[in-house]
PDB file of all heavy atoms in Angstrom:
ATOM      1  N   THR K 189       1.158  -8.792  -2.676  1.00  0.00           N
ATOM      2  CA  THR K 189       1.918  -9.755  -1.869  1.00  0.00           C
ATOM      3  C   THR K 189       0.887 -10.479  -0.952  1.00  0.00           C
ATOM      4  O   THR K 189       0.004  -9.874  -0.363  1.00  0.00           O
ATOM      5  CB  THR K 189       2.963  -9.044  -0.988  1.00  0.00           C
ATOM      6  OG1 THR K 189       3.870  -8.420  -1.875  1.00  0.00           O
ATOM      7  CG2 THR K 189       3.702  -9.999  -0.044  1.00  0.00           C
ATOM      8  N   LEU K 190       1.167 -11.785  -0.791  1.00  0.00           N
ATOM      9  CA  LEU K 190       0.200 -12.512   0.093  1.00  0.00           C
ATOM     10  C   LEU K 190       0.938 -13.087   1.325  1.00  0.00           C
ATOM     11  O   LEU K 190       1.918 -13.643   1.182  1.00  0.00           O
ATOM     12  CB  LEU K 190      -0.391 -13.761  -0.667  1.00  0.00           C
ATOM     13  CG  LEU K 190      -1.604 -13.508  -1.582  1.00  0.00           C
ATOM     14  CD1 LEU K 190      -1.951 -14.783  -2.235  1.00  0.00           C
ATOM     15  CD2 LEU K 190      -2.787 -12.945  -0.773  1.00  0.00           C
ATOM     16  N   SER K 191       0.299 -12.874   2.424  1.00  0.00           N
ATOM     17  CA  SER K 191       0.772 -13.486   3.693  1.00  0.00           C
ATOM     18  C   SER K 191      -0.364 -14.348   4.181  1.00  0.00           C
ATOM     19  O   SER K 191      -1.392 -13.846   4.608  1.00  0.00           O
ATOM     20  CB  SER K 191       1.136 -12.372   4.677  1.00  0.00           C
ATOM     21  OG  SER K 191       1.625 -12.967   5.874  1.00  0.00           O
ATOM     22  N   LEU K 192      -0.143 -15.705   4.108  1.00  0.00           N
ATOM     23  CA  LEU K 192      -1.227 -16.557   4.471  1.00  0.00           C
ATOM     24  C   LEU K 192      -1.009 -17.198   5.782  1.00  0.00           C
ATOM     25  O   LEU K 192       0.159 -17.478   6.174  1.00  0.00           O
ATOM     26  CB  LEU K 192      -1.321 -17.717   3.383  1.00  0.00           C
ATOM     27  CG  LEU K 192      -1.458 -17.277   1.940  1.00  0.00           C
ATOM     28  CD1 LEU K 192      -1.547 -18.549   1.022  1.00  0.00           C
ATOM     29  CD2 LEU K 192      -2.714 -16.416   1.772  1.00  0.00           C
ATOM     30  N   THR K 193      -2.121 -17.466   6.518  1.00  0.00           N
ATOM     31  CA  THR K 193      -1.982 -18.151   7.795  1.00  0.00           C
ATOM     32  C   THR K 193      -2.709 -19.427   7.798  1.00  0.00           C
ATOM     33  O   THR K 193      -3.781 -19.564   7.227  1.00  0.00           O
ATOM     34  CB  THR K 193      -2.414 -17.362   9.010  1.00  0.00           C
ATOM     35  OG1 THR K 193      -3.716 -16.802   8.698  1.00  0.00           O
ATOM     36  CG2 THR K 193      -1.514 -16.182   9.267  1.00  0.00           C
ATOM     37  N   VAL K 194      -2.081 -20.464   8.481  1.00  0.00           N
ATOM     38  CA  VAL K 194      -2.715 -21.738   8.650  1.00  0.00           C
ATOM     39  C   VAL K 194      -2.753 -22.033  10.156  1.00  0.00           C
ATOM     40  O   VAL K 194      -1.932 -21.474  10.857  1.00  0.00           O
ATOM     41  CB  VAL K 194      -2.043 -22.813   7.865  1.00  0.00           C
ATOM     42  CG1 VAL K 194      -2.001 -22.591   6.399  1.00  0.00           C
ATOM     43  CG2 VAL K 194      -0.622 -23.059   8.379  1.00  0.00           C
ATOM     44  N   ILE K 195      -3.673 -22.794  10.572  1.00  0.00           N
ATOM     45  CA  ILE K 195      -3.817 -23.109  12.031  1.00  0.00           C
ATOM     46  C   ILE K 195      -3.537 -24.534  12.323  1.00  0.00           C
ATOM     47  O   ILE K 195      -4.331 -25.443  11.943  1.00  0.00           O
ATOM     48  CB  ILE K 195      -5.254 -22.689  12.446  1.00  0.00           C
ATOM     49  CG1 ILE K 195      -5.488 -21.153  12.167  1.00  0.00           C
ATOM     50  CG2 ILE K 195      -5.404 -22.918  13.997  1.00  0.00           C
ATOM     51  CD1 ILE K 195      -6.819 -20.628  12.661  1.00  0.00           C
ATOM     52  N   LEU K 196      -2.502 -24.762  13.039  1.00  0.00           N
ATOM     53  CA  LEU K 196      -2.155 -26.111  13.463  1.00  0.00           C
ATOM     54  C   LEU K 196      -3.203 -26.628  14.476  1.00  0.00           C
ATOM     55  O   LEU K 196      -3.635 -25.872  15.393  1.00  0.00           O
ATOM     56  CB  LEU K 196      -0.704 -26.152  14.113  1.00  0.00           C
ATOM     57  CG  LEU K 196       0.411 -25.523  13.287  1.00  0.00           C
ATOM     58  CD1 LEU K 196       1.687 -25.420  14.073  1.00  0.00           C
ATOM     59  CD2 LEU K 196       0.615 -26.245  11.951  1.00  0.00           C
ATOM     60  N   GLY K 197      -3.606 -27.831  14.272  1.00  0.00           N
ATOM     61  CA  GLY K 197      -4.573 -28.408  15.262  1.00  0.00           C
ATOM     62  C   GLY K 197      -6.012 -28.230  14.862  1.00  0.00           C
ATOM     63  O   GLY K 197      -6.942 -28.722  15.600  1.00  0.00           O
ATOM     64  N   LEU K 198      -6.295 -27.527  13.742  1.00  0.00           N
ATOM     65  CA  LEU K 198      -7.693 -27.234  13.445  1.00  0.00           C
ATOM     66  C   LEU K 198      -8.511 -28.502  13.023  1.00  0.00           C
ATOM     67  O   LEU K 198      -9.733 -28.497  13.135  1.00  0.00           O
ATOM     68  CB  LEU K 198      -7.718 -26.189  12.318  1.00  0.00           C
ATOM     69  CG  LEU K 198      -8.964 -25.312  12.247  1.00  0.00           C
ATOM     70  CD1 LEU K 198      -9.321 -24.599  13.572  1.00  0.00           C
ATOM     71  CD2 LEU K 198      -8.786 -24.222  11.165  1.00  0.00           C
ATOM     72  N   GLY K 199      -7.797 -29.484  12.579  1.00  0.00           N
ATOM     73  CA  GLY K 199      -8.527 -30.783  12.250  1.00  0.00           C
ATOM     74  C   GLY K 199      -8.721 -31.647  13.470  1.00  0.00           C
ATOM     75  O   GLY K 199      -9.345 -32.744  13.386  1.00  0.00           O
ATOM     76  N   GLY K 200      -8.262 -31.242  14.626  1.00  0.00           N
ATOM     77  CA  GLY K 200      -8.371 -32.127  15.825  1.00  0.00           C
ATOM     78  C   GLY K 200      -7.503 -33.328  15.672  1.00  0.00           C
ATOM     79  O   GLY K 200      -6.718 -33.501  14.659  1.00  0.00           O
ATOM     80  N   VAL K 201      -7.607 -34.228  16.609  1.00  0.00           N
ATOM     81  CA  VAL K 201      -6.759 -35.434  16.547  1.00  0.00           C
ATOM     82  C   VAL K 201      -7.115 -36.326  15.331  1.00  0.00           C
ATOM     83  O   VAL K 201      -6.209 -36.717  14.616  1.00  0.00           O
ATOM     84  CB  VAL K 201      -6.984 -36.252  17.844  1.00  0.00           C
ATOM     85  CG1 VAL K 201      -6.333 -37.644  17.775  1.00  0.00           C
ATOM     86  CG2 VAL K 201      -6.436 -35.529  19.068  1.00  0.00           C
ATOM     87  N   GLU K 202      -8.382 -36.535  15.142  1.00  0.00           N
ATOM     88  CA  GLU K 202      -8.773 -37.458  14.046  1.00  0.00           C
ATOM     89  C   GLU K 202      -8.431 -36.935  12.646  1.00  0.00           C
ATOM     90  O   GLU K 202      -8.058 -37.690  11.733  1.00  0.00           O
ATOM     91  CB  GLU K 202     -10.305 -37.733  14.100  1.00  0.00           C
ATOM     92  CG  GLU K 202     -10.744 -38.446  15.355  1.00  0.00           C
ATOM     93  CD  GLU K 202     -10.947 -37.571  16.567  1.00  0.00           C
ATOM     94  OE1 GLU K 202     -10.648 -36.327  16.467  1.00  0.00           O
ATOM     95  OE2 GLU K 202     -11.378 -38.057  17.654  1.00  0.00           O
ATOM     96  N   GLY K 203      -8.537 -35.604  12.477  1.00  0.00           N
ATOM     97  CA  GLY K 203      -8.328 -35.025  11.146  1.00  0.00           C
ATOM     98  C   GLY K 203      -6.922 -34.553  10.915  1.00  0.00           C
ATOM     99  O   GLY K 203      -6.644 -33.892   9.881  1.00  0.00           O
ATOM    100  N   SER K 204      -6.002 -34.769  11.840  1.00  0.00           N
ATOM    101  CA  SER K 204      -4.679 -34.218  11.779  1.00  0.00           C
ATOM    102  C   SER K 204      -3.957 -34.427  10.533  1.00  0.00           C
ATOM    103  O   SER K 204      -3.438 -33.474   9.847  1.00  0.00           O
ATOM    104  CB  SER K 204      -3.898 -34.650  13.005  1.00  0.00           C
ATOM    105  OG  SER K 204      -2.601 -34.045  12.989  1.00  0.00           O
ATOM    106  N   ARG K 205      -3.840 -35.669  10.115  1.00  0.00           N
ATOM    107  CA  ARG K 205      -2.933 -35.951   8.962  1.00  0.00           C
ATOM    108  C   ARG K 205      -3.499 -35.369   7.646  1.00  0.00           C
ATOM    109  O   ARG K 205      -2.756 -34.809   6.899  1.00  0.00           O
ATOM    110  CB  ARG K 205      -2.817 -37.493   8.841  1.00  0.00           C
ATOM    111  CG  ARG K 205      -1.752 -37.903   7.804  1.00  0.00           C
ATOM    112  CD  ARG K 205      -0.382 -37.522   8.231  1.00  0.00           C
ATOM    113  NE  ARG K 205       0.597 -37.684   7.121  1.00  0.00           N
ATOM    114  CZ  ARG K 205       1.734 -37.037   7.075  1.00  0.00           C
ATOM    115  NH1 ARG K 205       2.056 -36.071   7.894  1.00  0.00           N
ATOM    116  NH2 ARG K 205       2.552 -37.245   6.059  1.00  0.00           N
ATOM    117  N   LYS K 206      -4.867 -35.492   7.513  1.00  0.00           N
ATOM    118  CA  LYS K 206      -5.494 -34.941   6.269  1.00  0.00           C
ATOM    119  C   LYS K 206      -5.293 -33.403   6.304  1.00  0.00           C
ATOM    120  O   LYS K 206      -5.098 -32.819   5.260  1.00  0.00           O
ATOM    121  CB  LYS K 206      -6.952 -35.355   6.283  1.00  0.00           C
ATOM    122  CG  LYS K 206      -7.551 -35.041   4.930  1.00  0.00           C
ATOM    123  CD  LYS K 206      -8.827 -35.974   4.723  1.00  0.00           C
ATOM    124  CE  LYS K 206      -9.713 -35.367   3.679  1.00  0.00           C
ATOM    125  NZ  LYS K 206     -11.027 -34.923   4.201  1.00  0.00           N
ATOM    126  N   HIS K 207      -5.463 -32.788   7.453  1.00  0.00           N
ATOM    127  CA  HIS K 207      -5.328 -31.314   7.553  1.00  0.00           C
ATOM    128  C   HIS K 207      -3.925 -30.906   7.126  1.00  0.00           C
ATOM    129  O   HIS K 207      -3.773 -29.958   6.374  1.00  0.00           O
ATOM    130  CB  HIS K 207      -5.571 -30.959   9.054  1.00  0.00           C
ATOM    131  CG  HIS K 207      -5.244 -29.529   9.458  1.00  0.00           C
ATOM    132  ND1 HIS K 207      -5.790 -28.418   8.783  1.00  0.00           N
ATOM    133  CD2 HIS K 207      -4.401 -29.038  10.394  1.00  0.00           C
ATOM    134  CE1 HIS K 207      -5.262 -27.298   9.314  1.00  0.00           C
ATOM    135  NE2 HIS K 207      -4.497 -27.624  10.296  1.00  0.00           N
ATOM    136  N   VAL K 208      -2.887 -31.644   7.569  1.00  0.00           N
ATOM    137  CA  VAL K 208      -1.543 -31.410   7.175  1.00  0.00           C
ATOM    138  C   VAL K 208      -1.369 -31.496   5.626  1.00  0.00           C
ATOM    139  O   VAL K 208      -0.845 -30.546   5.013  1.00  0.00           O
ATOM    140  CB  VAL K 208      -0.542 -32.352   7.895  1.00  0.00           C
ATOM    141  CG1 VAL K 208       0.843 -32.299   7.300  1.00  0.00           C
ATOM    142  CG2 VAL K 208      -0.485 -32.025   9.392  1.00  0.00           C
ATOM    143  N   LEU K 209      -1.776 -32.617   5.069  1.00  0.00           N
ATOM    144  CA  LEU K 209      -1.444 -32.842   3.674  1.00  0.00           C
ATOM    145  C   LEU K 209      -2.194 -31.899   2.785  1.00  0.00           C
ATOM    146  O   LEU K 209      -1.700 -31.358   1.763  1.00  0.00           O
ATOM    147  CB  LEU K 209      -1.858 -34.299   3.270  1.00  0.00           C
ATOM    148  CG  LEU K 209      -0.956 -35.393   4.004  1.00  0.00           C
ATOM    149  CD1 LEU K 209      -1.492 -36.768   3.642  1.00  0.00           C
ATOM    150  CD2 LEU K 209       0.509 -35.226   3.706  1.00  0.00           C
ATOM    151  N   GLU K 210      -3.513 -31.662   3.111  1.00  0.00           N
ATOM    152  CA  GLU K 210      -4.289 -30.702   2.345  1.00  0.00           C
ATOM    153  C   GLU K 210      -3.864 -29.263   2.477  1.00  0.00           C
ATOM    154  O   GLU K 210      -3.921 -28.518   1.536  1.00  0.00           O
ATOM    155  CB  GLU K 210      -5.799 -30.906   2.679  1.00  0.00           C
ATOM    156  CG  GLU K 210      -6.406 -32.215   2.302  1.00  0.00           C
ATOM    157  CD  GLU K 210      -6.475 -32.421   0.810  1.00  0.00           C
ATOM    158  OE1 GLU K 210      -5.460 -32.797   0.170  1.00  0.00           O
ATOM    159  OE2 GLU K 210      -7.522 -32.147   0.202  1.00  0.00           O
TER     160      GLU K 210
END
Side-chain angles (χ1 to χ4, degrees):
T189 300
L190 275 179
S191 179
L192 305 181
T193 49
V194 300
I195 302 183
L196 307 174
L198 206 51
V201 171
E202 295 82 355
S204 180
R205 190 64 190 155
K206 190 156 161 249
H207 171 56
V208 165
L209 297 177
E210 292 292 85

